[in-house]
Amino acid sequence: MKRLFSILAITVMVAFGTANATTIANTSTAVTTVTTTLTQDDEAPAADVGFHQDLKKRFIEGGPGFMGIVLLCLILGLAIAIERIIFLNLSSTNTKKLTQSVEDALASGGVEAAKEVCRNTKGPIASIYYQGLDRTDEGIEAAEKAVVAYGGVQMGQLEKNVSWISLFIALAPMLGFMGTVIGMIQAFDKIEAAGDMQPSLVAGGIKVALLTTVFGLVVAIILQIFYNYIIAKIDSIVNDMEDASITLMDLLIRHKK
């Protein structure tokens, strides 16, 4: 979450005696500038501390039950999202460079040299290349089937645990709404017990109830951003895998001739 800095600029007019009008004006301007700068420096940490304290206060007012569960959704969702982002970045491969290396190895050292290149390269594309090259002795069709089958396995590895992020995205606002409904019920219970429609009872209950909804929506928005990035990254890698598979088949066909 972004930190909100509220800086208050206070201009202090300093008036001295009536000796010289020009001197008074210059002195007042200088003192005002210095005072304003010092005031801004002093107010910035106070505003920052106030924001954290206000956030903590709002969190406690929302109720430890639902607010704690919503916070847990955020922590688990972020943990899975960060793990997936790291894994996907490590799975990214320079496809053109790998293809050229495999092609050169096939031309110079044959299939075994090309397999060695794939062993020394990380990522799903290199693994798919290796599986296809490992089946070349059985024919092009067998190599193609191996590439397609292992491509599905690699795709499953890329999408691992992503469904949990979508679960937390849906669960966080739902928990917030549930907390709001329960808070509204409690507010009406207080009104019924008091026997009077006091504005303070209604306003306080509604405020506390809506806090859970706000936090739930914030968690869902944060996780949705990470989720969309992960899905886009997976789609990019899958497209590279499909293009690389077609290129590998072309290389094997040319090598067999």
Side-chain angles (χ1 to χ4, degrees), residues 184-198 201-202:
M184 295 291 290
I185 294 174
Q186 292 176 350
F188 282 109
D189 286 341
K190 291 180 180 179
I191 294 173
E192 183 179 6
D196 187 16
M197 189 72 174
Q198 298 180 7
L201 292 175
V202 179

Side-chain angles (χ1 to χ4, degrees), residues 134-201:
D134 196 40
R135 300 294 192 280
T136 52
D137 295 338
E138 302 174 12
I140 299 297
E141 292 184 359
E144 184 177 1
K145 289 181 180 179
V147 167
V148 172
Y150 202 72
V153 174
Q154 290 297 318
M155 187 179 301
Q157 292 293 326
L158 296 175
E159 296 176 348
K160 184 179 179 181
N161 293 330
V162 176
S163 60
W164 286 103
I165 302 177
S166 61
L167 172 64
F168 293 136
I169 292 173
L171 191 61
M174 290 170 60
L175 289 171
F177 293 145
M178 183 179 295
T180 298
V181 173
I182 293 176
M184 295 291 290
I185 294 174
Q186 292 176 350
F188 282 109
D189 286 341
K190 291 180 180 179
I191 294 173
E192 183 179 6
D196 187 16
M197 189 72 174
Q198 298 180 7
S200 60
L201 292 175

Side-chain angles (χ1 to χ4, degrees), residues 10 15 17 25 28 30 34 39-40 50 52 75 83 127 137 140 169 192 196 199 206 211 233 243 245 247 251-252:
I10 302 175
S28 299
V34 173
T39 302
Q40 290 177 343
H52 285 289
I75 294 173
E83 184 273 332
S127 299
D137 295 338
I140 299 297
I169 292 173
E192 183 179 6
D196 187 16
I206 293 176
L211 284 174
K233 190 70 174 177
D243 293 339
S245 300
T247 303
L251 291 177
L252 293 179

Side-chain angles (χ1 to χ4, degrees), residues 86-240:
I86 295 174
F87 178 83
L88 293 174
N89 287 330
L90 294 176
S91 300
S92 300
T93 307
N94 190 336
T95 307
K96 292 182 179 180
K97 182 179 179 181
L98 176 61
T99 302
Q100 187 63 45
S101 299
V102 171
E103 186 176 3
D104 294 340
L106 281 173
S108 60
V111 175
E112 291 300 324
K115 289 168 64 176
E116 186 64 25
V117 172
C118 295
R119 286 194 199 98
N120 298 328
T121 306
K122 296 181 180 180
I125 296 177
S127 299
I128 291 173
Y129 270 22
Y130 182 86
Q131 294 298 322
L133 292 168
D134 196 40
R135 300 294 192 280
T136 52
D137 295 338
E138 302 174 12
I140 299 297
E141 292 184 359
E144 184 177 1
K145 289 181 180 179
V147 167
V148 172
Y150 202 72
V153 174
Q154 290 297 318
M155 187 179 301
Q157 292 293 326
L158 296 175
E159 296 176 348
K160 184 179 179 181
N161 293 330
V162 176
S163 60
W164 286 103
I165 302 177
S166 61
L167 172 64
F168 293 136
I169 292 173
L171 191 61
M174 290 170 60
L175 289 171
F177 293 145
M178 183 179 295
T180 298
V181 173
I182 293 176
M184 295 291 290
I185 294 174
Q186 292 176 350
F188 282 109
D189 286 341
K190 291 180 180 179
I191 294 173
E192 183 179 6
D196 187 16
M197 189 72 174
Q198 298 180 7
S200 60
L201 292 175
V202 179
I206 293 176
K207 182 189 72 172
V208 172
L210 292 178
L211 284 174
T212 57
T213 300
V214 171
F215 275 85
L217 292 175
V218 169
V219 170
I221 291 171
I222 294 173
L223 294 181
Q224 186 69 53
I225 295 173
F226 282 93
Y227 179 79
N228 286 355
Y229 173 81
I230 291 171
I231 293 299
K233 190 70 174 177
I234 292 175
D235 290 341
S236 176
I237 296 175
V238 169
N239 290 333
D240 290 342

